[in-house]
């Protein structure tokens, strides 16, 4: 495997950042998601994909292929979860994976409680629907708890505050505050929701 091709994500935040900001945003809309079976060496699987799809190429070669109508392909893995993503064009990827390829514009990538999609010409990173319902229900059950404790819980949520994530969390906050108002309790401060996304190193060192 070409040493220059880095594909092992440092953590979930790194994977989401790399996929959303560097891949999906730049037209890598077609993908295959999978899990490496227990007992199978993950590093050998990395090498297989890198060799099969010739991923260890320079950006200049990648640009030249793009001008010729060839798709670009990327591979990334976190633990035993992996993604292979491609842009539009001709590539072995589309022939080999044609039965399982999905389009992020229609079927968002779901990983670690996030949903990564592409809507109205923009990348959308949000909390996955089922995860969001569980989160909202949990906060509503605790809505009458001590203010400081609830604000700390909001501030310690693990989700990076991409725009749609912030909107979801503020919706939960408003629902909690409505319940607190009925009970005559002081509202939570909206500043307990994190607004600044951490920029992380996407790949393991």
């Amino acid at each position: 495997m070409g040493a220059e091709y880095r594909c092992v994500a440092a953590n979930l935040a790194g994977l989401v950042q790399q996929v959303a900001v560097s891949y999906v945003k730049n037209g890598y809309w077609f993908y295959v998601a999978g899990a490496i079976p227990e007992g199978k060496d993950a590093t050998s699987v990395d090498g297989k994909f890198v060799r099969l799809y010739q991923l260890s190429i320079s950006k200049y070669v990648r640009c030249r292929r793009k001008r010729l109508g060839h798709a670009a392909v990327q591979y990334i893995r976190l633990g035993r979860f992996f993604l292979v993503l491609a842009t539009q064009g001709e590539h072995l990827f589309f022939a080999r994976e044609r039965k399982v390829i999905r389009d992020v514009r229609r079927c968002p990538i779901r990983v670690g409680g996030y949903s990564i999609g592409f809507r109205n010409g923009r990348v959308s990173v949000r909390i996955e629907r089922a995860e969001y319902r569980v989160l909202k229900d949990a906060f509503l059950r605790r809505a009458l708890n001590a203010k400081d404790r609830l604000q700390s819980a909001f501030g310690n949520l693990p989700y990076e505050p991409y725009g749609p994530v912030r909107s979801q969390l503020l919706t939960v906050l408003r629902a909690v505050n409505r319940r607190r108002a009925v009970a005559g309790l002081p509202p939570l401060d909206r500043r307990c929701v994190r607004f600044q996304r951490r920029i992380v190193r996407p790949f393991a060192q």
Side-chain angles (χ1 to χ4, degrees), residues 26-176:
N26 290 304
Y28 288 82
W29 297 333
F30 307 98
Y31 72 94
V32 169
I36 299 171
E38 292 294 336
K40 194 165 188 177
D41 180 54
T43 303
S44 68
V45 174
D46 298 342
K48 169 193 166 186
F49 279 116
V50 171
R51 289 189 298 272
L52 178 64
Y53 294 135
Q54 299 179 14
L55 304 182
S56 291
I57 57 176
S58 70
K59 63 180 181 180
Y60 305 106
V61 173
R62 203 179 297 276
C63 288
R64 186 166 67 246
R65 290 183 176 181
K66 181 179 179 181
R67 289 196 297 270
L68 294 172
H70 297 294
V73 173
Q74 302 284 0
Y75 167 80
I76 189 167
R77 174 176 62 82
L78 177 65
R80 309 199 77 80
F81 172 83
F82 69 84
L83 285 167
V84 186
L85 306 101
T87 61
Q88 291 180 317
E90 298 181 7
H91 200 282
L92 174 64
F93 167 78
F94 290 102
R96 287 184 59 91
E97 313 286 354
R98 61 185 180 279
K99 294 183 180 178
V100 291
I101 290 174
R102 295 180 176 179
D103 186 334
V104 74
R105 294 169 295 181
R106 301 183 182 90
C107 184
I109 297 167
R110 292 178 171 83
V111 54
Y114 287 96
S115 173
I116 307 169
F118 193 84
R119 302 178 176 186
N120 303 317
R122 300 182 66 179
V123 181
S124 171
V125 180
R126 60 184 60 243
I127 303 171
E128 192 273 327
R129 185 177 301 175
E131 177 108 346
Y132 175 70
R133 285 198 297 265
V134 170
L135 175 72
K136 187 175 182 180
D137 289 346
F139 270 99
L140 288 177
R141 285 195 301 271
R142 301 165 59 192
L144 306 186
N145 285 4
K147 179 179 177 178
D148 288 348
R149 185 181 300 175
L150 279 173
Q151 290 186 158
S152 178
F154 269 103
N156 290 325
L157 286 171
Y159 312 104
E160 287 301 320
Y162 292 87
V165 172
R166 287 198 305 270
S167 295
Q168 289 174 301
L169 295 181
L170 288 172
T171 297
V172 175
L173 183 73
R174 287 192 293 270
V176 167

